[in-house]
Amino acid sequence: MANWTLEADEVVSLPLDELALRVLTDYRDNNEWNWRNWMLLAMQEAYPRRPDAVRALAEAWSWILNHGLVAPNLDKGDHAVVVSRQGEAFLDRGAAWLRSVERLDVELVPALERTARPQFLRGDFETAAFVAMKEVEVQLRAISGLGHDLVGVKLAQEAFRQGGPLHREETQAGEAVAIMDLFKGAIGLFKNPASHRRVDLSDATEAAEIVLLADLLMRLLKRLEVEAQGEDG
């Protein structure tokens, strides 16, 4: 803990993930190899009279271990760990990035699992958001049966307009317009700009939300497809 400078009150007051980031940074930068030894130093030398600070650091280590930010170092025995690949990404990109990864820790539709999630985990947020909305457009075209001459907003409008292939006569008029506007807005805002110009999407949280929005839209399309098949049956 040669470079450890946090006062006890700071240790207690920091959010857990931010504290974990400080702990793991110190562990790596000082070439530590045993997390329990690190904790003993904290208890005996850094905060001998502050059990609350020691408890907070123990919670940070529990958080680090539970999130897979370290991996066992089998060459050195019990409590020996090294920073994992996930941990290196955490140290490089920060707590906000890991929160966004956890935000996407849900079961996405298969197409997004194959395309958007891998790009997101690589840190390519712009591509992740673009391919997620592209998958929405691909599925929208497939389910509606419309041709490749229609793209983006025009495709969504033609699919959901009154008399269009995805319009349902039994749907209340306001709701029918709303779902059309939902798809037009999502594709127009998050897919079309990236098709025409470079978009600087560096916010991991925003990218995660776009992927989740795409997941919702694709689930809605799947529901419409199932309903249409039921009507035909």
Side-chain angles (χ1 to χ4, degrees):
M1 302 182 68
N3 301 317
W4 189 260
T5 59
L6 285 181
E7 297 292 334
D9 289 340
E10 292 178 286
V11 170
V12 173
S13 63
L14 274 174
L16 188 55
D17 54 356
E18 294 288 352
L19 180 59
L21 180 61
R22 302 288 191 94
V23 169
L24 196 60
T25 299
D26 186 84
Y27 185 84
R28 181 195 62 180
D29 292 351
N30 286 291
N31 297 313
E32 300 284 354
W33 62 272
N34 186 301
W35 73 266
R36 186 173 184 275
N37 289 347
W38 191 97
M39 277 300 309
L40 288 173
L41 283 175
M43 182 173 63
Q44 296 167 1
E45 298 183 11
Y47 309 107
R49 297 180 181 83
R50 290 295 300 269
D52 56 340
V54 174
R55 185 166 57 250
L57 291 173
E59 291 171 1
W61 268 112
S62 179
W63 192 89
I64 289 168
L65 293 164
N66 289 335
H67 283 77
L69 304 182
V70 292
N73 186 343
L74 300 178
D75 294 331
K76 295 189 176 181
D78 293 343
H79 310 298
V81 294
V82 294
V83 179
S84 66
R85 289 175 294 175
Q86 176 95 330
E88 291 290 355
F90 175 58
L91 292 172
D92 181 52
R93 298 170 183 165
W97 171 81
L98 188 58
R99 293 188 202 113
S100 299
V101 170
E102 292 179 333
R103 190 181 292 257
L104 273 186
D105 190 20
V106 296
E107 183 181 0
L108 300 173
V109 297
L112 298 184
E113 289 285 0
R114 294 192 304 267
T115 57
R117 190 192 295 279
Q119 295 293 342
F120 185 89
L121 293 178
R122 293 187 191 106
D124 190 351
F125 306 134
E126 179 184 329
T127 300
F130 172 73
V131 298
M133 283 297 164
K134 182 178 179 181
E135 290 293 345
V136 173
E137 184 173 321
V138 168
Q139 186 168 338
L140 177 58
R141 177 174 289 107
I143 293 175
S144 66
L146 294 170
H148 290 274
D149 55 318
L150 293 169
V151 297
V153 172
K154 290 182 179 179
L155 173 65
Q157 182 167 334
E158 185 65 21
F160 288 104
R161 67 173 179 80
Q162 187 170 4
L166 297 184
H167 179 78
R168 296 291 178 268
E169 291 298 334
E170 68 275 12
T171 302
Q172 194 270 338
E175 184 178 336
V177 171
I179 192 169
M180 179 174 66
D181 287 345
L182 174 62
F183 278 84
K184 287 170 57 180
I187 293 174
L189 183 60
F190 298 123
K191 190 267 178 183
N192 281 2
S195 302
H196 305 146
R197 57 183 168 81
R198 182 171 181 79
V199 177
D200 181 18
L201 183 59
S202 57
D203 188 323
T205 301
E206 184 177 343
E209 293 294 344
I210 294 171
V211 174
L212 289 172
L213 174 59
D215 182 74
L216 172 61
L217 295 177
M218 294 182 76
R219 290 175 189 276
L220 291 175
L221 287 172
K222 185 63 177 179
R223 189 181 72 186
L224 289 171
E225 182 181 29
V226 170
E227 290 175 352
Q229 290 171 349
E231 292 173 1
D232 294 340

